[in-house]
Amino acid sequence: MIHPRTLRVDYGQTTSVICVVGSELNVNLNRSAPPSSKFFSVKCTSNVQYSISPPPQETSHLSPIPLNGNSVLLISMNQASQHENDSKLSVRYYGENKEVLGKAVLHLTAVEISLDVDADRDGVVEKNNPNKGSWKWGPNGHGAILLVNCDSERTYWKKPDSEKDHVYKVSDLKDMSLMVLRTKGPAKLPEGYKLTMHMSQGDAESVRVFMTRTTGIRNNALQKLLYESFTKDYPLVLSSEVLSQEVPYLGGEAEMKFYVEGLRFPDKDFDGLISINLSLLEPISAGLPETPIFTDTAMFRVAPWIMTPNTLQPLEVLVCSTADNYQFLKGMRNLVANSGYKLKICHEYVNRGDRWMQDELEFGYIDSPHHRFPVVLDSPRDGKLQDFPYHELLGPDFGYVTRVAEREDVSSLDSFGNLEVSPPVTVNGKNYPLGRIIIGVAFPTATKGRNMTKVVQDFLWAQKVQEPIALFSDWLLVGHVDEFMTFVPAPDRKGFRLLLASPDAGYKLFRGLQNNGHGQGKLFEGLKDEEPITVDEILNDENLQAENNYVQSCIDWNRDVLKRELGLDDEDIIDLPILFKLETEDECGTTYRAVAYYPDMVNMIVLGKNLGIPKPFGPKVNGRCALETEMCSLMEGLGLSCTFIDDFASYHKLLGEVHCGSNVRREMFDFKWWNLEM
């Protein structure tokens, strides 16, 4: 990359100039010539290169060159000086008769200056990458990557490292991006010249820069900064309080390391791009400000928060222990143990009776060429589990992020049972190798309705790499997308199936039972405090049929959206036999929203090829629940094993199921987000 710089010279004077290797000095010869000048000539030492624009017509190199009104001398140097002013260039000006009218002399000092980052994204900070000052997506793209330093090196009195203005431990440096200032030249810069690192006020809200302490720092302000304020070995250089700071020129061939710390994720008001600049300043005169004569720029993009779908391998399952969920917990322990994963139980002294582990948090991660770690997104629901993500999960290499909303803006749709992500898909030729985020909102034509709060939606959209899809979920009493859909792995087609709750499939199953003489089979048989109901009674309930016709129309609307936005065919979708019923939500009895009639089997936990499914307590045929039989038939064709977990009293009756009461931390994608084609 060539950095051009206009240089002013005066005839009759000797001017000392610094030339940065890789830059070009442009001298307007006519502007600096004596009056009546008609010709000029140029002489220089061997390590100075020059050319003239426009090129002169052929003439002897010893003959003066005609001076045009737009004659420009282009000067460059291709290697650093060993000593100050060790190179020279002179320009002679001639009159009409080629008499000498004046002479301008330049004493040149060449220095190499490069502010370097991992612009090619291979984990190594290469020297002077020509693309380091810009960002481009894709496998052939460029631009460095910055992590938000949202984990905590402290395990007590902890808070995210990004909230501390110092390096607490050396291990914290791995969460930051390395930036290297490389210089080469004489032992010191000419008197008055200095190097300054700087960034804009807008960028400074999102990033901090630390440096490795060096010896021989001559700037008193920086010495004071190092001594008074920050960790002794890694002083803070740039922040929202310090936008510009002199940095040392070490002399000879030297490198100085800086560590760049991300402070916030991309959001509505922040596109994730950060620029850091290094300028060489030239003194003009005592009492006057220095002026920049060379600037090098490095650009970073802050890594997005990425969700993990059901098709990725589980690492850890989280559930709550409460006074009344022993049966559920027993089933979960067996499922997780048999699946070979780790179970983390949040006990009642921590959860304070809040059992909805899925609703409080969502697991994701952040990734860069040099480091990656999980990051939990804390929902704004802030139930009694609100302290769990921060106090129990935040730690070394485990990050935390949340979005705070006004309490009056928060609804049930802000719980993260209403936040899912698809497996990777290709839609109309566009690839989504990290899948697409799925949220539930009010129907587009609704004048009143509940929506996921704007601050969370803005955050999700701003991550860019998992472009969200908005579904209609406000028809449900709780209002979560996990009440009518989920994804399971599959060995064929797209590598997964979309499972949808389907009242139509439920009625088809029950009519088949009735036709086969099982109309007196009972749902909820043997359940304490639950009135059994026969298949015949369900099929004869016209109001229930009408309610489920409405529910099916809502699910079908979402089905069409999912087919369109995920590029699915009907063969990629499996309908599960689940009925719903409508309940009034307000005192006037005018707002009707749906809840599952029996345990909602789509609201499951996916652990590899093992599924933990709410036990539906359906009518028995030959001693086996017909709903379980149907579910096993649908899933076993995909090589999946079904385990039915009794959550009836402790979750279903409280309007949730297995998925609502659990959470899964999964492995991260192999695919690197920066290779996305945007």
Side-chain angles (χ1 to χ4, degrees):
M1 180 188 301
I2 295 178
H3 300 260
R5 169 193 166 200
T6 298
L7 178 66
R8 178 175 169 270
V9 300
D10 292 312
Y11 65 91
Q13 294 185 17
T14 297
T15 305
S16 293
V17 176
I18 284 187
C19 179
V20 178
V21 175
S23 68
E24 185 180 75
L25 304 178
N26 298 344
V27 179
N28 186 309
L29 292 170
N30 191 60
R31 193 172 73 181
S32 60
S36 304
S37 295
K38 300 297 182 182
F39 299 92
F40 71 95
S41 64
V42 181
K43 293 178 66 176
C44 64
T45 53
S46 60
N47 50 352
V48 179
Q49 295 80 44
Y50 75 88
S51 61
I52 298 166
S53 178
Q57 295 178 349
E58 282 196 31
T59 180
S60 167
H61 72 279
L62 298 176
S63 301
I65 300 167
L67 180 65
N68 298 321
N70 58 349
S71 292
V72 177
L73 180 65
L74 310 177
I75 306 169
S76 62
M77 299 179 71
N78 59 15
Q79 65 181 29
S81 298
Q82 293 186 344
H83 307 287
E84 185 179 341
N85 295 330
D86 62 359
S87 300
K88 296 176 176 59
L89 179 144
S90 63
V91 182
R92 288 180 185 267
Y93 295 98
Y94 306 89
E96 184 74 38
N97 298 316
K98 300 188 179 178
E99 71 277 15
V100 176
L101 300 181
K103 179 182 178 182
V105 177
L106 294 179
H107 287 179
L108 294 152
T109 304
V111 295
E112 291 183 13
I113 300 173
S114 177
L115 186 63
D116 292 327
V117 293
D118 180 17
D120 60 3
R121 307 191 285 233
D122 64 354
V124 178
V125 177
E126 65 276 7
K127 185 175 181 180
N128 218 11
N129 188 304
N131 297 313
K132 64 187 177 182
S134 61
W135 172 272
K136 181 182 177 183
W137 293 89
N140 297 315
H142 56 258
I145 292 164
L146 187 63
L147 296 177
V148 177
N149 194 9
C150 59
D151 67 341
S152 177
E153 296 302 316
R154 300 181 69 157
T155 55
Y156 60 95
W157 298 335
K158 60 185 177 182
K159 59 182 178 179
D161 293 332
S162 57
E163 295 182 14
K164 301 191 291 284
D165 59 3
H166 60 278
V167 177
Y168 176 68
K169 290 183 179 179
V170 174
S171 57
D172 194 24
L173 298 178
K174 69 180 181 300
D175 301 332
M176 305 182 195
S177 293
L178 179 63
M179 182 169 65
V180 180
L181 171 58
R182 294 183 168 107
T183 55
K184 186 177 181 181
K188 64 183 185 67
L189 294 175
E191 187 67 29
Y193 286 85
K194 62 184 181 182
L195 293 174
T196 298
M197 187 172 288
H198 54 100
M199 60 182 171
S200 70
Q201 179 71 64
D203 285 351
E205 301 298 326
S206 306
V207 71
R208 276 194 291 253
V209 179
F210 299 90
M211 67 178 286
T212 303
R213 177 186 286 280
T214 61
T215 58
I217 297 173
R218 295 176 295 278
N219 177 267
N220 289 334
L222 186 55
Q223 281 182 325
K224 186 170 184 287
L225 183 72
L226 303 187
Y227 179 78
E228 291 183 346
S229 303
F230 308 109
T231 300
K232 61 179 182 178
D233 292 324
Y234 301 97
L236 183 63
V237 178
L238 297 181
S239 69
S240 59
E241 305 298 322
V242 183
L243 301 181
S244 179
Q245 183 72 248
E246 181 181 350
V247 296
Y249 171 81
L250 299 181
E253 186 170 0
E255 290 187 356
M256 183 180 300
K257 291 182 178 180
F258 295 83
Y259 293 91
V260 186
E261 176 185 44
L263 302 183
R264 63 175 182 146
F265 284 91
D267 215 322
K268 183 183 180 182
D269 60 346
F270 174 46
D271 64 4
L273 293 174
I274 296 287
S275 292
I276 299 174
N277 309 290
L278 190 284
S279 292
L280 175 63
L281 303 187
E282 179 182 56
I284 301 299
S285 183
L288 296 178
E290 304 95 343
T291 57
I293 59 172
F294 170 84
T295 298
D296 208 11
T297 298
M299 178 173 282
F300 295 86
R301 176 178 281 279
V302 175
W305 179 78
I306 301 171
M307 282 183 66
T308 52
N310 285 352
T311 47
L312 290 176
Q313 197 70 11
L315 294 172
E316 185 178 39
V317 179
L318 287 78
V319 294
C320 289
S321 173
T322 63
D324 62 349
N325 77 339
Y326 171 78
Q327 197 67 30
F328 167 82
L329 208 54
K330 179 181 176 182
M332 289 296 293
R333 283 182 190 274
N334 291 336
L335 171 67
V336 175
N338 292 337
S339 302
Y341 303 116
K342 180 181 177 183
L343 181 67
K344 182 183 180 73
I345 296 177
C346 175
H347 294 285
E348 196 159 13
Y349 70 89
V350 175
N351 67 54
R352 298 177 293 173
D354 186 350
R355 68 197 68 212
W356 307 112
M357 182 62 78
Q358 181 65 221
D359 290 339
E360 185 58 42
L361 59 96
E362 189 68 59
F363 285 113
Y365 69 95
I366 56 177
D367 192 10
S368 73
H370 65 276
H371 194 41
R372 54 181 3 201
F373 56 83
V375 177
V376 61
L377 176 62
D378 191 0
S379 85
R381 78 183 275 266
D382 286 345
K384 292 181 179 179
L385 262 173
Q386 63 178 339
D387 295 334
F388 176 79
Y390 193 95
H391 292 304
E392 303 297 325
L393 298 178
L394 172 64
D397 283 339
F398 207 119
Y400 172 91
V401 62
T402 190
R403 283 297 175 266
V404 178
E406 298 292 335
R407 291 309 305 164
E408 58 270 19
D409 294 335
V410 177
S411 72
S412 175
L413 272 66
D414 292 303
S415 296
F416 284 165
N418 198 34
L419 174 61
E420 297 298 321
V421 65
S422 79
V425 292
T426 299
V427 186
N428 296 324
K430 183 174 181 180
N431 203 16
Y432 296 92
L434 301 174
R436 298 189 67 179
I437 283 173
I438 296 169
I439 63 171
V441 297
F443 197 71
T445 59
T447 55
K448 290 184 179 181
R450 302 166 299 171
N451 278 294
M452 181 177 282
T453 190
K454 187 174 183 298
V455 292
V456 175
Q457 289 201 54
D458 288 344
F459 172 82
L460 296 173
W461 277 97
Q463 306 315 303
K464 293 182 76 74
V465 298
Q466 296 176 302
E467 184 181 335
I469 301 167
L471 298 182
F472 169 38
S473 68
D474 192 35
W475 57 274
L476 288 153
L477 184 62
V478 176
H480 297 175
V481 293
D482 71 352
E483 297 178 75
F484 65 88
M485 61 157 290
T486 195
F487 298 95
V488 294
D492 56 357
R493 297 189 63 81
K494 296 177 173 64
F496 69 90
R497 293 290 191 276
L498 167 64
L499 307 186
L500 287 179
S502 172
D504 281 355
Y507 274 100
K508 181 178 180 180
L509 174 66
F510 289 139
R511 290 190 187 103
L513 292 175
Q514 187 182 58
N515 291 341
N516 290 327
H518 300 292
Q520 290 301 303
K522 296 179 180 179
L523 285 79
F524 314 134
E525 193 169 21
L527 279 172
K528 184 180 178 181
D529 300 326
E530 203 66 29
E531 186 70 30
I533 185 169
T534 67
V535 171
D536 287 340
E537 288 172 323
I538 288 175
L539 294 176
N540 290 334
D541 189 335
E542 293 182 358
N543 287 335
L544 184 64
Q545 175 75 68
E547 291 173 2
N548 275 279
N549 288 343
Y550 164 72
V551 167
Q552 187 66 62
S553 70
C554 294
I555 294 174
D556 285 345
W557 191 89
N558 288 308
R559 181 191 186 98
D560 292 339
V561 173
L562 289 164
K563 287 174 66 176
R564 181 175 67 249
E565 297 295 334
L566 296 179
L568 303 181
D569 300 318
D570 284 325
E571 291 79 7
D572 299 310
I573 302 172
I574 296 176
D575 293 313
L576 304 186
I578 300 165
L579 300 187
F580 292 80
K581 59 183 177 180
L582 298 188
E583 294 191 356
T584 56
E585 193 181 36
D586 56 33
E587 295 178 357
C588 299
T590 55
T591 303
Y592 293 93
R593 288 191 167 100
V595 299
Y597 189 85
Y598 45 80
D600 187 353
M601 293 185 292
V602 79
N603 194 274
M604 65 178 68
I605 184 172
V606 180
L607 301 179
K609 292 187 175 183
N610 295 322
L611 309 180
I613 303 170
K615 186 175 180 62
F617 293 96
K620 291 183 178 180
V621 176
N622 298 324
R624 188 179 180 191
C625 171
L627 290 168
E628 291 185 18
T629 300
E630 177 69 7
M631 191 71 194
C632 290
S633 174
L634 293 171
M635 295 299 101
E636 287 170 358
L638 301 175
L640 302 176
S641 175
C642 300
T643 298
F644 295 93
I645 296 173
D646 182 357
D647 71 351
F648 197 94
S650 55
Y651 289 86
H652 173 72
K653 295 290 285 185
L654 301 176
L655 305 182
E657 307 287 0
V658 170
H659 187 259
C660 305
S662 61
N663 217 313
V664 183
R665 183 168 66 88
R666 300 181 183 274
E667 289 185 354
M668 307 173 199
F669 281 106
D670 291 330
F671 182 85
K672 301 302 182 181
W673 62 267
W674 52 88
N675 288 329
L676 271 170
E677 298 282 3
M678 287 290 190

